Amino acid sequence: MYLQFKNFRTTNEVLYALAAVDKYAATPVSKIGLQKILYLATSFAPIREIILSVLRYTRWKKGPYSYLVQNTVDQLVAYGLAGVSDFQMINRRSALASYQITTGGQSAVQRLRMYAEENDKAWWIDCVTKLVVIYSKEDLLSGDETYDGIDKIVRLVYMDKSFRKVHEHYGASIDLKDEEGDTHKVISFVKEFLASDQNFQNIEEKVLTELILLAFFEQLYAQYYLEKQHGRS
Amino acid sequence: MEEANQVLKFLHQGLTAKLVLRGLSTSPGDSHIFWMRLLTLFQDDSYVLNREKGPIVFIVNTKSNSGSSDAIDPSFLKDFFEKGRHSISNVIYIDNSGKLIQPAKDFEKLKLQNISEVCEDSSKRSQDLFYVFVKGNEVQFVHNQIPFYSVMDFFSMNDRIGNITGKLPVQRYRTIIEGHYNDEVDREKGFFYWEVKADWKLMGSPEEHFRKHLANYIKANIADGYVDEEVPNAGTSDRPDIRIIEFSSRQVYLIEIKWAGKSVKTTYDANEKANQGINQLHTYVKANNDCARGVLVFYDARKDKMDVVWSPTIPDWDSRIDPQPFIFSLDPTNASTKAKIEVASATKARGGKSTKANKKR
């Protein structure tokens, strides 16, 4: 069967995220969680020096949101590569749904990963998702009853420097393509410092990438802790 | 750039980063989970209710994943203490995911009671192993004879958050060092250094204790740099006690710690030790072109305190050596007695007589 997707790059990336959630959390993921995984993967992508396809998000209810991601996951459901595990109508205009990759979706991911560039993107999204799952279970977040499971990561996304800039501006656009963007500049500074630090020269590239990514997650966590302590969250 | 400094701080001070840099982790995410699980275990009653029975040591084989049952588990630890195994050996030998490796004949009767014994034991074994030594509320990580990471109080979030954030720039090092004396040393808050107070006698290896506590305090309070301990200075074999590196300028600040008075093992003369510290700083700053400042921190535990006679005199010191060395007075008078003295001093002062306490000279 040949499937034609208008935004095949986005389709692949959403599939990688669904596959990684299945691997690390073994649960379905809501559109809130899925959006946040892809937002973080894109915001931190300069660490790996890759470019993901959805570069523009909107400051929406519960953090950054992309219509493209939402349309793509619905498309994947239509083609049987993802399934809807839970569906609840909230009101006439909105619904809560959870998605899980299907066997067909897993098989598609396996095939896509045979291409080096796709494999690299899949690896990156896998890394981000793993940390999203880990941090959503951290003490500070796990006690948060506003969100469930992976969705709790919203609290850390709110701490992302690019997002903080538009936090108060509902409907504002977040352009993650911008090399002068806030998170991008922080990543460039960090990488430049490490490039001249001899201690970091002998670390295998993927291990170093994962370590830098972990450092960014830890920084978001520390910010969240401090905000909570000062009662601003 | 605040966020970049915070990320860099974690990459230089965080446990996971240290494990990766020592070649003990190839999966930072998994190492992070491992550490969080250990912390949760230490905060659990299975440890807390048994910690008076003595220290425990997890020996982690980073190259093994062949363990069986989970050892980072409260029911395992409860049995370990309460079924008498701890009294035979305080070592728990685990693989890189926290599972128990058995049989572990090498460790069957091994008891490691302090960090020196842990360091010594690590020198005899494979470099694929690292040690997690837990005593009271303190944890220390050792690899290949070197304690490379420590947490003073694992109930506090200070260590974790301090590895990211901090309030003061490196250039305010004087405020930070004074803060450590005022917050922890003088008040003896979470830091006990007297062996016999009545005899003005410090515990063994005081320099090591002062270094560890001061380094941890600086780590938690510095905003734009990172701290390490006893690392070689600019490629030489000298190892200053504490080194701070500022991220933006890459300038180095070196701290040498000395003490005088009595400890359980020895007695040190103030003039000799303080001047020795300055001489060492001269050697360090000369060898290191990036060094912006050399600082002496001197703890004076003598009962009869007298001013230090500097030789060479201060004007002859290298200009990069801080001309106002820190001389902190240690006094074993207990806190309530100190408080009474302070109240008495304040009362006298109100009566027109100046009796400024000689706590910090």
Side-chain angles (χ1 to χ4, degrees), chain A residues 89-219:
Chain A
M89 287 299 292
I90 304 295
N91 54 44
R92 285 180 63 193
R93 294 185 61 190
S94 61
L96 269 181
S98 293
Y99 304 91
Q100 194 157 24
I101 195 164
T102 60
T103 317
Q106 293 280 19
S107 154
V109 169
Q110 263 184 359
R111 288 182 186 202
L112 285 164
R113 291 194 75 156
M114 291 162 81
Y115 299 93
E117 191 186 339
E118 290 302 315
N119 189 42
D120 203 36
K121 280 186 187 174
W123 177 83
W124 171 250
I125 292 172
D126 185 278
C127 276
V128 173
T129 309
K130 181 179 177 180
L131 292 179
V132 165
V133 172
I134 291 172
Y135 276 83
S136 60
K137 292 177 185 165
E138 290 273 8
D139 282 352
L140 277 184
L141 272 68
S142 62
D144 184 342
E145 289 177 2
T146 314
Y147 297 101
D148 290 325
I150 293 173
D151 296 358
K152 292 176 192 287
I153 207 68
V154 171
R155 297 296 185 198
L156 297 199
V157 172
Y158 282 171
M159 301 295 122
D160 174 60
K161 196 165 175 160
S162 298
F163 181 77
R164 284 167 85 101
K165 208 171 177 179
V166 299
H167 190 269
E168 303 297 328
H169 308 284
Y170 217 68
S173 175
I174 312 165
D175 183 6
L176 298 175
K177 192 179 177 185
D178 182 9
E179 289 194 9
E180 291 302 304
D182 292 291
T183 307
H184 206 131
K185 278 203 282 193
V186 173
I187 292 169
S188 300
F189 184 90
V190 168
K191 291 191 77 172
E192 203 178 305
F193 187 94
L194 295 183
S196 60
D197 189 329
Q198 220 163 3
N199 293 323
F200 289 85
Q201 303 312 307
N202 296 325
I203 303 175
E204 200 262 315
E205 198 192 344
K206 280 189 170 174
V207 176
L208 182 59
T209 302
E210 196 184 334
L211 179 63
I212 299 172
L213 182 64
L214 175 72
F216 274 87
F217 268 80
E218 194 65 10
Q219 192 265 336

Side-chain angles (χ1 to χ4, degrees), chain B residues 312-329:
Chain B
T313 54
I314 294 175
D316 292 330
W317 292 359
D318 187 293
S319 60
R320 287 174 294 171
I321 296 178
D322 192 323
Q324 289 178 286
F326 292 92
I327 299 185
F328 291 129
S329 171

Side-chain angles (χ1 to χ4, degrees), chain A residues 2-67:
Chain A
Y2 291 93
L3 304 176
Q4 282 195 322
F5 291 100
K6 194 176 165 191
N7 297 299
F8 71 94
R9 289 184 196 282
T10 311
T11 312
N12 296 351
E13 290 158 18
V14 173
L15 263 181
Y16 302 149
L18 288 172
V21 170
D22 199 53
K23 180 175 165 188
Y24 295 111
T27 57
V29 59
S30 77
K31 60 185 176 187
I32 298 172
L34 190 62
Q35 294 270 0
K36 303 310 168 264
I37 288 170
L38 287 163
Y39 173 83
L40 288 171
T42 312
S43 184
F44 292 146
I47 296 174
R48 184 64 184 161
E49 287 166 21
I50 56 171
I51 298 171
L52 298 184
S53 64
V54 181
L55 295 164
R56 195 173 287 276
Y57 284 77
T58 306
R59 197 297 183 223
W60 207 240
K61 281 185 284 185
K62 296 168 185 173
Y65 181 85
S66 157
Y67 284 104

Side-chain angles (χ1 to χ4, degrees), chain B residues 115 118-119 122 129-131 140-148:
Chain B
I115 204 68
V118 171
C119 289
S122 73
L129 306 180
F130 71 86
Y131 295 58
Q140 290 189 76
F141 284 71
V142 172
H143 173 236
N144 197 20
Q145 301 184 69
I146 296 174
F148 65 93

Side-chain angles (χ1 to χ4, degrees), chain B residues 262-287:
Chain B
K262 280 190 290 184
S263 81
V264 284
K265 289 178 184 164
T266 186
T267 300
Y268 278 162
D269 174 72
N271 286 333
E272 187 188 335
K273 297 309 287 186
N275 282 300
Q276 194 184 80
I278 293 297
N279 287 336
Q280 280 173 262
L281 284 171
H282 269 107
T283 309
Y284 302 156
V285 300
K286 267 185 197 161

Side-chain angles (χ1 to χ4, degrees), chain A residues 130 134-135 138 161 186 189 193 196-197 199-200 203 207 210-211 214-215 218-219 221-223 225-226, chain B residues 1 3-4 6-8 10-12 16 21 26-30 32-33 157 160-161 164-165 247 250:
Chain A
K130 181 179 177 180
I134 291 172
Y135 276 83
E138 290 273 8
K161 196 165 175 160
V186 173
F189 184 90
F193 187 94
S196 60
D197 189 329
N199 293 323
F200 289 85
I203 303 175
V207 176
E210 196 184 334
L211 179 63
L214 175 72
E218 194 65 10
Q219 192 265 336
Y221 189 75
Q223 286 304 327
Y225 171 80
L226 293 174
Chain B
M1 200 184 287
E3 287 82 358
Q6 293 175 344
V7 169
L8 284 172
F10 177 82
L11 288 168
H12 288 85
T16 309
L21 286 166
T26 52
S27 172
D30 291 342
H32 179 79
I33 295 175
M157 279 288 279
R160 183 168 183 184
I161 302 304
I164 297 281
T165 62
F247 290 129
R250 320 255 171 151

